[in-house]
Amino acid sequence: MLFAAYMGTKQGWAMFSGKTEMLELFGKWSIGKQGVMALGFFTLLSVVLMLIPKTFVWGIS
């Protein structure tokens, strides 16, 4: 679970901060910078929810 939280945080932060690699990857599907940042926010939120026992199921859904 800690590995999943680490990877989720790493990828979520890369998306939220607008790294060029992420923008290029999501640009293939016509998702702009704001969309990538929103997805990064929700990825980081899911990591937080995954680490709180009562919201674990919401975090991995």
Side-chain angles (χ1 to χ4, degrees):
M1 189 159 105
L2 291 176
F3 181 73
Y6 169 73
M7 292 304 293
T9 303
K10 181 180 172 187
Q11 294 302 316
W13 186 253
M15 292 165 60
F16 187 72
S17 64
K19 298 241 181 197
T20 51
E21 296 87 9
M22 289 295 169
L23 295 177
E24 289 175 11
L25 176 70
F26 284 96
K28 295 176 184 178
W29 298 295
S30 301
I31 300 175
K33 183 177 181 180
Q34 296 297 322
V36 173
M37 289 178 71
L39 289 172
F41 171 77
F42 286 114
T43 302
L44 291 171
L45 179 64
S46 70
V47 170
V48 172
L49 291 175
M50 183 177 63
L51 294 175
I52 301 171
K54 289 186 179 183
T55 61
F56 177 76
V57 175
W58 298 342
I60 60 171
S61 298

